[in-house]
Amino acid sequence: MCMLAQKGMSWADALAGPDREHVVKALDKEMTSLLSTILTELSPGDADYAEAVDTATPGRLLLDYKRSQEYKARGVKQGFKENKLITDGPDFNYYSHVAKLVTVRALVLRPDRGNRRLASIDIRTAFLQSHPYPDGKYKLIKFRDPLTHKWRYFKQSGPIYGESAAPISWEDTLVPFLTGELHFTRGDNELCAFYHPERDLTVITFVDDCLADGYTDDVNWFLDLIAERFDCKDATWLGPDQPIDFIGMDIIMTSDRIMISMERYILNMLDKLGMTKIRSSSVPINKPIDIDSEPLKPNDRRYFMTAVGMFGWLSNTARPDITYAHSRISQHMASPTESAMDAVKTCCGYLKANPNFVLSTLLHPPDIDFSNALNARSELDLNADPDAGIWKCFSDSDHAGNAEVQNKRRSQNGCIAVCNGAAIMWVSKVSSVAFAVPEINGAHADVSSAAAGIYAAANAANEFLHLSYVIEELGMNFPKPFKLRIDNTAAITFVKGTCFKTNLKHIDCRQEWVRCLRDKNIMQPIYVKTTENYADLFTKILGPQTFDYLRGLVMYRYKHD
């Protein structure tokens, strides 16, 4: 994650250094924790010792130096070396869930925050607090002692970090507590969202991190009970002088705004990549990538992939402004060239110049005069639904605009959902879901810009429909039917079913995605000027003036005091 902490430090170097006493203390603390929870050490005379020597799964004792300037040791099983068929059985389900990032954004930037508070709490060594194995079941594990360099063998009575079964074992411990003892309702579409209707309290979980949103007394109720059930670190309450670091996303509050920032990550990223002195750029991508340029050498390929991975994290968290650049650059992961590396440098230059753009909404948005909007039948077409003025959904496509060979002239689809001026959900990708003919089982180029727009609208409608389910499970409202803003009039007439264009006859109107588009109880298309289509950010390379304008509609430049 490109943080300042040092990971996987050398035990030999650390023990030979001036901090040996602190390193040994960290090792003793971790071993004491493991022995007091899930491990029982075996000696040569014990019945299971010989079996452990032959079959125990190896583990590693890792040493880190945390940002809090303290050493931390952690015992981790090398789960990939474990015989899962024997230890867990043939039908064990290892799949577990974490909150989607769009869920985090929607909860933090909710439109009706008012006096609601946000607090986070981290459950300490959560996997070790999972339910133990059933009676009679145990596993065998071994660690090489960093001080003596000898193997130590243990019986293991519960999940440990690195074990393939540990995440789902923890989920099976936490979820029944939330739903059974605290009476939260678990989401069906977002399985890490938990809503308490009597308290109007929402909690989302990301492994051992919990983010609670509600009124002060109700959040305190949750924090007290979870800290009573599990060993937790102190909770952090969001306030003007107290940000929350939730899974690497900095949640910040000022006197009038709440924000999600990735500035700290960006600065660390640029330092790690050696890009702190790169030339600044006004846009994240400024030209197509030339695949005929020289291929990258092996070391440069690794560097390229690292950088693209970091761009992906930024794009997925709180930097939609680089999403299109990431989409274009990542298409060259298989065969990166010098031109693709230049695109990486351009994106780094853009982030260097603009690290402080955030997702943000006002804590107390100004009231909207819905009666005047209704009387005027403005572009919003509110139809007496106040949430329709809070949420705005856009769809766009760029018909065969990417001429790079690997793209095969597929159109780029983009969509975005904005809540009170803050981007909540966005997508930028080549067309890959809706097709003209059911028998076509792969994405294809289309000769019609209207067809490309229809495919983009279909993809966007599915994305927004899912978003609406998640919003409802968080205890909020999402307008239905939602208004889908499109700048292609032919696509709108097709969706409405008011005409039958000759160049659209190749689309089979019996397909389910077409029926979904034409279901007026779900979505209503409305026209928006191309210059006002926010989704333009995700479909094409834009000049600085257009890019700045559209970015300003969905993001906010946070100026530090």
Side-chain angles (χ1 to χ4, degrees):
M1 297 287 288
C2 188
M3 296 300 183
L4 291 175
Q6 299 181 48
K7 302 291 185 182
M9 299 176 64
S10 165
W11 281 100
D13 292 344
L15 290 169
D19 292 337
R20 176 186 173 87
E21 180 181 347
H22 298 290
V23 174
V24 173
K25 183 178 178 180
L27 175 61
D28 290 342
K29 182 178 179 180
E30 175 65 5
M31 293 308 302
T32 299
S33 173
L34 292 172
L35 289 167
S36 65
T37 52
I38 64 167
L39 296 188
T40 301
E41 188 160 13
L42 297 171
S43 300
D46 293 330
D48 298 306
Y49 185 81
E51 181 185 358
V53 171
D54 290 337
T55 66
T57 303
R60 294 182 62 199
L61 288 165
L62 304 179
L63 179 66
D64 299 342
Y65 189 68
K66 310 294 286 185
R67 283 182 292 159
S68 57
Q69 298 184 341
E70 63 178 357
Y71 288 94
K72 177 176 177 58
R74 170 158 289 181
V76 178
K77 176 182 282 188
Q78 293 182 282
F80 63 93
K81 294 183 179 179
E82 186 173 39
N83 188 328
K84 301 182 187 63
L85 186 64
I86 294 176
T87 57
D88 298 323
D91 300 319
F92 192 90
N93 176 22
Y94 293 97
Y95 188 81
S96 61
H97 304 86
V98 295
K100 300 177 182 67
L101 296 174
V102 64
T103 307
V104 178
R105 293 191 294 265
L107 188 69
V108 172
L109 302 172
R110 62 184 302 154
D112 56 347
R113 174 147 305 281
N115 294 321
R116 300 177 68 90
R117 301 288 306 280
L118 275 171
S120 68
I121 190 166
D122 182 359
I123 301 171
R124 202 188 307 269
T125 57
F127 289 179
L128 304 186
Q129 299 188 62
S130 301
H131 293 315
Y133 299 144
D135 290 344
K137 178 179 178 179
Y138 64 88
K139 298 182 181 182
L140 298 170
I141 188 172
K142 62 182 180 180
F143 291 102
R144 188 183 294 277
D145 192 310
L147 298 176
T148 65
H149 306 293
K150 295 181 179 179
W151 285 105
R152 297 172 65 180
Y153 299 90
F154 305 86
K155 289 179 69 173
Q156 178 192 337
S157 61
I160 189 172
Y161 285 88
E163 186 172 291
S164 299
I168 187 59
S169 298
W170 167 243
E171 183 175 323
D172 289 342
T173 301
L174 178 62
V175 171
F177 170 72
L178 295 175
T179 58
E181 298 186 38
L182 302 191
H183 305 295
F184 280 89
T185 300
R186 188 184 194 184
D188 292 315
N189 299 279
E190 172 53 276
L191 290 168
C192 293
F194 300 86
Y195 182 62
H196 201 295
E198 287 79 14
R199 294 180 176 272
D200 192 16
L201 173 66
T202 305
V203 171
I204 57 176
T205 61
F206 199 98
V207 190
D208 52 3
D209 290 313
C210 299
L211 186 66
D213 174 90
Y215 295 100
T216 303
D217 290 346
D218 298 310
V219 175
N220 268 322
W221 168 82
F222 166 73
L223 295 177
D224 289 344
L225 289 177
I226 197 168
E228 182 180 310
R229 170 62 178 82
F230 300 104
D231 180 18
C232 299
K233 299 179 182 178
D234 291 339
T236 303
W237 287 83
L238 180 66
D241 299 318
Q242 180 60 65
I244 290 177
D245 177 356
F246 189 72
I247 59 171
M249 303 164 68
D250 289 327
I251 304 172
I252 302 170
M253 178 184 285
T254 64
S255 60
D256 63 340
R257 285 187 173 272
I258 187 168
M259 296 169 277
I260 301 177
S261 170
M262 296 300 292
E263 181 173 5
R264 180 165 54 95
Y265 179 90
I266 290 170
L267 297 179
N268 290 335
M269 179 195 76
L270 293 173
D271 181 58
K272 184 174 179 64
L273 293 176
M275 290 284 187
T276 55
K277 297 182 180 180
I278 192 73
R279 181 178 178 180
S280 297
S281 174
S282 57
V283 291
I285 185 168
N286 56 14
K287 61 182 179 181
I289 295 172
D290 180 10
I291 64 169
D292 292 327
S293 62
E294 288 293 318
L296 294 180
K297 296 177 181 178
N299 285 341
D300 291 335
R301 284 172 61 95
R302 287 190 288 270
Y303 178 96
F304 175 86
M305 292 178 183
T306 298
V308 174
M310 291 176 171
F311 293 164
W313 176 243
L314 287 171
S315 169
N316 285 314
T317 50
R319 291 304 297 250
D321 49 337
I322 71 161
T323 296
Y324 179 67
H326 174 253
S327 177
R328 286 286 290 256
I329 296 171
S330 61
Q331 292 182 32
H332 297 268
M333 290 284 279
S335 303
T337 64
E338 293 288 349
S339 181
M341 181 65 85
D342 289 341
V344 165
K345 294 176 181 177
T346 298
C347 194
C348 285
Y350 168 76
L351 291 169
K352 174 192 172 184
N354 302 279
N356 58 336
F357 269 95
V358 298
L359 303 180
S360 173
T361 189
L362 291 168
L363 289 173
H364 303 284
D367 293 333
I368 300 174
D369 187 350
F370 293 110
S371 60
N372 288 342
L374 285 169
N375 293 335
R377 288 293 178 184
S378 66
E379 178 193 326
L380 289 177
D381 190 20
L382 297 174
N383 290 338
D385 183 355
D387 290 320
I390 295 170
W391 288 92
K392 294 184 178 181
C393 301
F394 298 83
S395 171
D396 188 41
S397 68
D398 183 44
H399 178 232
N402 183 354
E404 296 167 16
V405 174
Q406 87 291 333
N407 190 56
K408 301 178 181 178
R409 283 291 183 177
R410 292 175 293 172
S411 298
Q412 187 83 14
N413 295 344
C415 66
I416 183 172
V418 178
C419 179
N420 275 344
I424 302 297
M425 186 278 291
W426 56 86
V427 174
S428 177
K429 62 182 180 181
V430 293
S431 56
S432 59
V433 178
F435 312 107
V437 184
E439 288 77 12
I440 298 178
N441 58 6
H444 64 89
D446 202 291
V447 296
S448 166
S449 62
I454 294 167
Y455 299 155
N459 293 339
N462 289 332
E463 296 283 356
F464 296 140
L465 195 58
H466 176 74
L467 175 63
S468 72
Y469 304 148
V470 173
I471 295 300
E472 291 167 359
E473 291 176 352
L474 293 175
M476 296 182 280
N477 296 320
F478 192 88
K480 284 186 181 178
F482 62 86
K483 309 295 187 291
L484 181 59
R485 292 160 172 80
I486 308 171
D487 60 13
N488 188 308
T489 54
I492 291 176
T493 56
F494 177 87
V495 173
K496 289 183 175 180
T498 54
C499 74
F500 196 71
K501 293 283 186 180
T502 302
N503 59 354
L504 298 178
K505 284 184 177 180
H506 64 292
I507 296 177
D508 183 354
C509 294
R510 296 169 298 180
Q511 295 184 86
E512 287 301 320
W513 64 269
V514 178
R515 292 170 180 167
C516 176
L517 278 179
R518 292 182 173 180
D519 185 344
K520 294 181 175 58
N521 293 322
I522 296 176
M523 182 272 291
Q524 293 179 4
I526 61 174
Y527 176 75
V528 63
K529 295 179 181 177
T530 300
T531 54
E532 299 296 325
N533 191 342
Y534 299 7
D536 236 23
L537 276 171
F538 307 104
T539 59
K540 57 184 69 69
I541 297 174
L542 300 172
Q545 185 174 358
T546 301
F547 180 84
D548 286 351
Y549 174 71
L550 292 175
R551 179 187 59 191
L553 296 174
V554 300
M555 300 187 74
Y556 174 78
R557 187 187 288 275
Y558 174 43
K559 298 179 181 178
H560 302 272
D561 294 334

